[in-house]
Amino acid sequence: MPDPKKGNSDGESGAGASQKPVRLKELAEHLDLSPAAVSIVLNRSPVADSIPQATQDRVFAAAKELGYRPDFLARSLRSRRTRSIGVLVPEISEGYAAGVSRGLEKHLLSEGYFYFIASHQSEPELLAEGLERLRERLVEGFILLAAQLKAPPPLPTVVVSGHRALEGVTNVVLDQDHAAHHALSHLADLGHERIAFFRGPSNNADADDRWRAIVDAAATLSLEVAPELSIQLEGLSYGEVFYREGYARAKELLARGQRFTALFAFDDIAAVGAMRAFFDAGLRVPEDISIVGFDDIESASFLNPSLTTVRQPLREMGEIAGRVLLERLGGGETPPQVVVKPELVVRDSTCPAP
Amino acid sequence: MPDPKKGNSDGESGAGASQKPVRLKELAEHLDLSPAAVSIVLNRSPVADSIPQATQDRVFAAAKELGYRPDFLARSLRSRRTRSIGVLVPEISEGYAAGVSRGLEKHLLSEGYFYFIASHQSEPELLAEGLERLRERLVEGFILLAAQLKAPPPLPTVVVSGHRALEGVTNVVLDQDHAAHHALSHLADLGHERIAFFRGPSNNADADDRWRAIVDAAATLSLEVAPELSIQLEGLSYGEVFYREGYARAKELLARGQRFTALFAFDDIAAVGAMRAFFDAGLRVPEDISIVGFDDIESASFLNPSLTTVRQPLREMGEIAGRVLLERLGGGETPPQVVVKPELVVRDSTCPAP
DNA sequence: CTTCGTAACTAATTCGATTTAGTACTAGCT
DNA sequence: AGCTAGTACTAAATCGAATTAGTTACGAAG
C-alpha cells in the first residue's frame, strides 16, 4: 500500500519545495536499466556509442522528467574534479580588489566554475592558511590578488599583481615602468619639480616594483625623488579604511614644512584621503597641489576635482586571471607572466605648477 | 626495491610540494589498526570511550606526523555536510555590497565555513539560477544581498535587505522609517522645502520600502514630495557603473527647470554622481543644493564636500547575516527579521536652504 | 567450569556516482 | 554447425571516509 508521503509524480514541482533529490539508482530503476548504463548515457561517455539512440532518448527524457541532478559530492569524489577555485584577496572592499573581482566571474561562471573567496589581509600567515584550507576543499586552482607568495603553491595559480617568478604560477602584472613614466612625464610637462610621493605599504605586492619604476622614471626625466617628500604608507590592520591612511600621511607630509607642488599617490584611495587633508589645510587642488592617483577606481571621474590617475585595467586583469586559470586547468600551457598596459587618465586634479 | 620517486619519509615537507595526501587507510596501516578505529578516534565519536588513552594518543600523534587530512569530499559525501554556504550579491563592486561583504567573513571563517560568491545583477533569473547552481554544490545555506525572492529557497537563508516575509528566511533590514525621518527632518530643520528625490531602481530590494518610508516621513513633517522633483533611477545592465546613473538623472532633474534646494539620493553612489552633475552645471554644494546620501560608504567622509548621509551599518549587517545563518545551521531558531538602526551622519554636503 | 559483561577493536555497509571488465545475445560468414 | 564480431548492456570495483553491527579476548561472577 502507498505510504503517506506526499505524492509527487511530477519531478519538477516549481515551488522551492525541498523534496529529496532523485538518485541515479532510482532513475535507473524507473528506466529498467542499470545505473551504469544511465550514467554512461548521461555523461556521453565514449562507450555510449553502442547504445541505441532510442534508449539514449529515453534516458534523457526520464532524467529531465524526474529532475535528476547528479550528486556533486559523489561525482567529485570519483572524478577528483570540483570545478571550484579559491580566491584570496587582501580585503573585500572598495578600490582595487573590487575592480579585479568584478572581472573574475566572467569566464568562470560560464564554464561551470564557482569560487570560494576569503581575505588574506596582506598577512603571509593568513595567506598560507587560506591556501591550505582551500586546498583541503579540493579547489582546482587559486587566484590570488596582491599576494606575496614565498613558495609555489601546490595547485595551478594565477597571481594578479605578483612580481615573483614562481614555478607553476602565472603573474598578471601591470607594466609599472610605463605607469610611472606616464605619470611623471605628465607632471614634468606641467612644470612640476617638487613632487611628493606616497610609497606603497611594505605588505603590498606592487609597492616595491612600483617604487623602483618611479625612481627609474624620475631619473630618466631628470626629476628628483626627494627623500623628504617621500612618504611610506603603512599597511592596515584588519578592517581599517585606507582612505584614512592617505589622509594621515598627507597631514604628516604637510607638517614637514617642505615645499611641493604635486603628489603622486600610491593609489586612488590614498589620493582621495590626501586630497581631503589638503582641503582641510586650506590648500586647493589642483591650483596649489596637483594630485595623480593610481588604479582609476570607479569613483575617480566623479570626485571633486575628478582625479587624474594611472588607470589599471582592473576588471580586465580579473578577466585575464580567470581565463588563464581555466586554460591551465584545461591542460593548456600558460605563460609565467601576462603584462597589461596602464593608461594615464588626465582629469582635473592636475594643472601646471604654480 | 625502492621505486625512484622522491623519498619523503617526513610527512610534512615544508615546501609547497604537491605530494599526494595521506589516506585514512594508510594511516591505519601505519598504526596497525583498522580504518574504523582510527576514524572513531580522530572524530572523537562516542564509541571512542572504550579505546584506551594510550591508543588514542598514538593515533593523534601518527596523524600529525603523517600530516593526515581527511578528504573533504569523502567526508562530505557521507555526512552530507559541506561547511559551505552560498552568497549572492547584486554586483561585486564598490558601495553597498562591498560594505556588507566585509562583515560576512567574521563569523563564518572562524567556524570553518567558506562561501561561494556570485552576482545576481538584480535579475530574478540569475538569482534563481545562482540558487540552483549553489544548491547543486550542496551549500548548507544562503546569504543573499538585496535580493527579491519570490519563493522561499530550499535551504536556510538570510537576506540582507529583504522585505518579504518568507518561510525559513531571515531578513536583515534597516529601519527605513527611521532613516527617512532622520534625513528629512534634518533637511526640514535647515529650512529646505523644495526637496528632490532619487527613487531607487525597481529591481532594488530596498527601493519600494524606502520610498514608502520617505512619503510617510514627508507627510509627518508636512513636506511635499513633488512628483516633478522625484526621479526614478534605472537599474543597471551588467557591468555599468552606478555613479553614472546618478550623474545622468541629476542632469535630467536640472533640465526640468524646477527649483529645488536639496536632493535626497537613493544611495551614496548616486549622490556622488549627482554632485558631479551639479558642479558641472555651475552649482555649488551645499550652498545652492544640499545633498543627503544613503549608506555611508567608505569614501563618504573623504569626498569634497564630505557627504551627509544616512548610515547603514553595512559591515554589521554582514556580520549579523553570517552569525544568524550559523545559528540556523547549528539547529537554532532564528527570527524572521532582524532590524538594524540607521544613523544620520551630518557632514558638509548639507547647509541651510538659500 | 560455564556464562556474562565489557574493553578494544574489526568487518562490512553506506554515501552516490563513475568506470572497467565482463556477459548474453544476435547477425554474419565460412 | 561453428566461429567471430559486434551490440547492448550489467556486475562489480572504486573514490575515501563514517558508522553500525559484530567479533575476540579476558576478567569476574555465579
Side-chain angles (χ1 to χ4, degrees):
Chain A
M1 73 196 92
D3 68 356
K5 81 170 72 159
K6 35 186 79 105
N8 57 332
S9 49
D10 64 329
E12 197 75 283
S13 84
S18 140
Q19 75 257 352
K20 77 158 100 63
V22 181
R23 298 308 179 190
L24 180 62
K25 197 178 154 200
E26 292 151 26
L27 177 59
E29 276 161 15
H30 177 90
L31 280 161
D32 211 14
L33 285 172
S34 72
V38 179
S39 172
I40 285 164
V41 171
L42 290 179
N43 291 300
R44 297 188 164 76
S45 107
V47 240
D49 290 347
S50 69
I51 292 176
Q53 196 56 48
T55 307
Q56 300 208 19
D57 294 345
R58 274 181 63 223
V59 170
F60 281 114
K64 187 164 196 177
E65 187 202 339
L66 300 189
Y68 171 71
R69 300 263 171 215
D71 183 88
F72 197 82
L73 294 172
R75 166 178 278 190
S76 293
L77 175 61
R78 188 82 235 272
S79 65
R80 298 270 102 193
R81 300 212 55 187
T82 56
R83 295 201 155 252
S84 305
I85 69 172
V87 176
L88 291 171
V89 303
E91 164 88 69
I92 298 159
S93 183
E94 303 192 5
Y96 171 85
V100 178
S101 301
R102 299 182 90 196
L104 285 179
E105 276 192 350
K106 182 170 183 178
H107 299 289
L108 296 179
L109 291 186
S110 61
E111 291 291 322
Y113 279 80
F114 270 78
Y115 57 89
F116 291 108
I117 194 164
S119 67
H120 61 66
Q121 307 295 330
S122 298
E123 291 178 21
E125 311 82 55
L126 278 175
L127 177 64
E129 192 188 325
L131 291 173
E132 180 55 29
R133 309 299 283 284
L134 288 168
R135 185 163 74 116
E136 277 180 26
R137 280 163 185 267
L138 296 156
V139 297
E140 296 180 23
F142 298 115
I143 291 178
L144 313 178
L145 263 57
Q148 292 179 299
L149 283 174
K150 289 170 301 186
L155 294 172
T157 299
V158 177
V159 184
V160 179
S161 296
H163 300 280
R164 195 165 312 199
L166 288 171
E167 181 68 29
V169 174
T170 296
N171 290 309
V172 178
V173 295
L174 188 78
D175 184 329
Q176 301 286 345
D177 290 302
H178 266 75
H181 189 84
H182 282 329
L184 291 185
S185 64
H186 173 62
L187 289 175
D189 289 349
L190 291 171
H192 293 276
E193 289 170 355
R194 297 286 292 166
I195 302 174
F197 296 92
F198 277 175
R199 184 173 173 173
S202 57
N203 63 8
N204 181 292
D206 275 336
D208 285 348
D209 208 44
R210 189 171 305 165
W211 184 248
R212 183 201 49 69
I214 286 171
V215 171
D216 288 358
T220 307
L221 294 162
S222 306
L223 284 170
E224 186 194 7
V225 177
E228 69 274 18
L229 292 178
S230 301
I231 297 266
Q232 173 74 52
L233 300 177
E234 298 292 328
L236 298 177
S237 51
Y238 183 82
E240 246 190 305
V241 180
F242 205 65
Y243 292 101
R244 195 173 308 283
E245 176 68 9
Y247 183 82
R249 294 287 85 76
K251 288 239 157 181
E252 181 187 325
L253 179 62
L254 291 172
R256 290 188 182 178
Q258 303 283 338
R259 198 182 72 85
F260 63 97
T261 63
L263 168 70
F264 185 17
F266 176 71
D267 68 14
D268 287 347
I269 304 273
V272 170
M275 205 188 293
R276 178 82 247 164
F278 295 156
F279 290 141
D280 288 356
L283 295 163
R284 293 165 303 164
V285 176
E287 293 81 358
D288 298 320
I289 302 178
S290 286
I291 297 184
V292 178
F294 208 106
D295 283 352
D296 195 23
I297 58 175
E298 289 180 7
S299 59
S301 63
F302 296 93
L303 298 170
N304 179 39
S306 60
L307 193 64
T308 295
T309 190
V310 177
R311 178 170 142 69
Q312 292 201 61
L314 297 175
R315 187 185 191 129
E316 186 191 336
M317 290 161 80
E319 290 181 17
I320 290 173
R323 183 167 51 68
V324 166
L325 186 60
L326 284 180
E327 280 165 18
R328 261 294 281 292
L329 296 179
E333 280 299 304
T334 47
Q337 202 173 51
V338 178
V339 179
V340 298
K341 292 288 178 190
E343 193 183 329
L344 182 70
V345 185
V346 178
R347 299 204 183 91
D348 301 335
S349 68
T350 47
C351 74
Chain B
M1 75 197 90
D3 68 357
K5 79 170 73 160
K6 32 186 83 101
N8 56 334
S9 50
D10 63 327
E12 198 74 286
S13 84
S18 145
Q19 75 258 349
K20 77 157 100 65
V22 181
R23 298 309 180 190
L24 181 62
K25 197 179 155 199
E26 290 151 28
L27 177 58
E29 276 161 14
H30 177 90
L31 279 161
D32 210 16
L33 285 172
S34 70
V38 178
S39 171
I40 286 164
V41 169
L42 290 178
N43 291 300
R44 297 189 164 77
S45 104
V47 241
D49 290 349
S50 69
I51 292 176
Q53 195 56 46
T55 307
Q56 301 208 20
D57 293 346
R58 274 181 63 224
V59 171
F60 281 113
K64 189 164 196 177
E65 188 202 340
L66 301 189
Y68 170 71
R69 300 259 171 219
D71 182 86
F72 198 82
L73 294 171
R75 167 179 277 192
S76 292
L77 175 60
R78 190 80 235 274
S79 68
R80 299 270 101 192
R81 301 213 54 187
T82 56
R83 294 200 156 255
S84 305
I85 69 172
V87 176
L88 291 170
V89 303
E91 164 88 70
I92 298 160
S93 182
E94 303 193 5
Y96 171 85
V100 177
S101 301
R102 299 182 90 197
L104 285 179
E105 276 193 349
K106 183 171 182 178
H107 300 289
L108 296 178
L109 292 186
S110 60
E111 291 290 322
Y113 279 80
F114 271 77
Y115 57 89
F116 292 109
I117 195 164
S119 66
H120 60 67
Q121 307 295 330
S122 298
E123 291 177 21
E125 311 82 56
L126 278 176
L127 177 65
E129 192 187 326
L131 291 173
E132 181 55 29
R133 309 298 283 284
L134 289 169
R135 186 160 77 115
E136 276 180 26
R137 278 161 187 269
L138 295 155
V139 298
E140 297 181 21
F142 298 115
I143 291 177
L144 313 177
L145 263 56
Q148 292 179 299
L149 284 174
K150 289 171 299 187
L155 293 172
T157 299
V158 176
V159 184
V160 179
S161 295
H163 299 279
R164 195 165 312 198
L166 288 171
E167 183 66 30
V169 173
T170 297
N171 290 309
V172 178
V173 295
L174 189 77
D175 184 328
Q176 301 286 346
D177 291 301
H178 265 76
H181 189 82
H182 281 330
L184 291 185
S185 63
H186 172 62
L187 288 175
D189 289 350
L190 291 171
H192 293 277
E193 288 169 356
R194 297 286 294 165
I195 303 173
F197 297 91
F198 276 175
R199 184 173 173 173
S202 57
N203 63 8
N204 181 293
D206 275 337
D208 286 347
D209 208 44
R210 189 171 304 165
W211 184 248
R212 183 200 49 69
I214 286 171
V215 171
D216 288 357
T220 306
L221 294 162
S222 305
L223 286 170
E224 188 194 4
V225 177
E228 70 273 18
L229 292 178
S230 302
I231 297 265
Q232 173 75 51
L233 299 176
E234 299 293 328
L236 298 177
S237 52
Y238 183 82
E240 247 190 306
V241 180
F242 204 66
Y243 292 101
R244 194 172 309 286
E245 175 67 11
Y247 183 84
R249 292 289 83 77
K251 289 240 158 183
E252 182 187 325
L253 180 62
L254 291 172
R256 290 188 184 177
Q258 303 284 336
R259 197 182 73 85
F260 63 98
T261 63
L263 168 68
F264 184 17
F266 177 71
D267 68 13
D268 287 346
I269 305 272
V272 170
M275 206 188 292
R276 176 84 246 161
F278 295 155
F279 290 141
D280 288 357
L283 295 164
R284 293 166 302 164
V285 176
E287 293 80 357
D288 298 318
I289 301 178
S290 287
I291 297 185
V292 178
F294 208 107
D295 282 353
D296 195 24
I297 59 175
E298 289 179 6
S299 59
S301 63
F302 296 93
L303 299 169
N304 179 39
S306 60
L307 192 64
T308 294
T309 190
V310 177
R311 179 170 140 69
Q312 292 200 62
L314 297 174
R315 188 185 190 129
E316 186 191 335
M317 289 162 80
E319 290 182 16
I320 290 173
R323 183 166 51 70
V324 166
L325 187 60
L326 284 180
E327 281 166 17
R328 260 295 278 293
L329 296 179
E333 280 298 305
T334 47
Q337 202 174 53
V338 178
V339 179
V340 298
K341 291 290 175 188
E343 194 182 328
L344 182 71
V345 185
V346 178
R347 298 203 183 92
D348 300 336
S349 68
T350 48
C351 74

